[in-house]
Amino acid sequence: SVLGSIIIDPEKFGDVAQIISASDFYIEEHAEIFGVMHDFNMSNRPMDLVTLINELVNKGVYKDEAAARSYIRIIGDIVPGSANARDYARIVHDKSVLRRLISAAEDIQEKAYTEGENVSHIVDYAEQKIYEIAGNNDKSDFVHIKDVILSVYQRLETLKKEGAGEDVLGLKSGFSDLDRVVVGFGKSDLVIVGARPG
């Protein structure tokens, strides 16, 4: 369903990529398809059925176009639409976390049964395994660089046209000369002013 959503609407890849990566897929073939979609996104190339199938064959995911077209058509037909792409991605992510937990629990169980090490080492090992899973569970909301650049460019255009007026400036510092130099304190800015006395 995740892959089908992206095939229907390639713009959904950005939403989905904030939640999952190729390693979250259980079926290797799906991980490889997602990897190819990721490559399209990173190189900022438009993706459609023809270019996706061509790239899948070139990367060796499928031996020929007929096999690729057949499977991609099945994936595209399974999903009713792309509106729930983020929800599908969360399901894939949650199942991936559960698989990692099962694998970690098996490793911990094996270490505990063998008792070849000090008990505190086994407990530390168990904590580390669980911590790694919990740490990977936290995904930041990444933004594509083109969106950031566009936003900054628009702000610079506004500053150029309107000047550093009241509505454009960020939070005032109370020092008008400083405000002109740093254009006020903007959202999430860290401004360090260093100067000698006098």
Side-chain angles (χ1 to χ4, degrees):
S1 295
V2 171
L3 298 175
S5 296
I6 298 168
I7 289 169
I8 292 169
D9 181 5
E11 292 296 318
K12 292 290 181 186
F13 185 88
D15 296 338
V16 167
Q18 292 177 7
I19 301 168
I20 59 172
S21 64
S23 62
D24 288 319
F25 288 92
Y26 178 70
I27 298 172
E28 184 62 32
E29 186 177 359
H30 293 171
E32 291 175 343
I33 294 169
F34 190 82
V36 169
M37 291 172 167
H38 180 266
D39 292 344
F40 270 104
N41 189 62
M42 292 307 290
S43 60
N44 208 16
R45 290 183 297 158
M47 184 190 77
D48 58 24
L49 279 176
V50 175
T51 56
L52 176 63
I53 289 167
N54 184 58
E55 196 67 20
L56 288 169
V57 172
N58 287 344
K59 295 254 180 174
V61 178
Y62 294 100
K63 61 181 183 207
D64 57 40
E65 257 186 56
R69 189 177 296 109
S70 170
Y71 195 69
I72 294 301
R73 183 170 288 129
I74 290 169
I75 290 174
D77 290 344
I78 284 174
V79 64
S82 63
N84 294 326
R86 289 179 68 86
D87 295 326
Y88 301 149
R90 281 191 199 93
I91 292 168
V92 170
H93 177 264
D94 291 348
K95 298 297 183 188
S96 174
V97 170
L98 290 175
R99 284 194 303 275
R100 289 198 303 269
L101 274 173
I102 290 167
S103 177
E106 288 171 352
D107 288 349
I108 293 165
Q109 183 180 9
E110 186 179 329
K111 273 198 174 290
Y113 276 128
T114 57
E115 293 187 64
E117 297 181 42
N118 185 317
V119 172
S120 64
H121 289 126
I122 295 172
V123 171
D124 289 344
Y125 176 79
E127 285 179 351
Q128 184 61 33
K129 286 293 235 183
I130 300 301
Y131 179 76
E132 285 172 6
I133 294 168
N136 289 337
N137 202 18
D138 182 27
K139 292 262 187 182
S140 299
D141 285 345
F142 292 107
V143 179
H144 196 281
I145 188 69
K146 68 179 180 185
D147 298 329
V148 174
I149 290 173
L150 185 61
S151 166
V152 170
Y153 182 75
Q154 287 170 344
R155 178 158 168 75
L156 290 174
E157 280 292 312
T158 304
L159 286 170
K160 182 180 173 187
K161 287 177 187 169
E162 300 175 14
E166 292 281 327
D167 53 336
V168 180
L169 279 176
L171 181 66
K172 290 183 181 179
S173 67
F175 300 96
S176 56
D177 289 342
L178 177 63
D179 288 338
R180 276 195 298 277
V181 173
V182 298
V183 196
F185 298 129
K187 186 172 72 172
S188 76
D189 279 354
L190 170 62
V191 179
I192 300 173
V193 179
R196 294 173 58 183

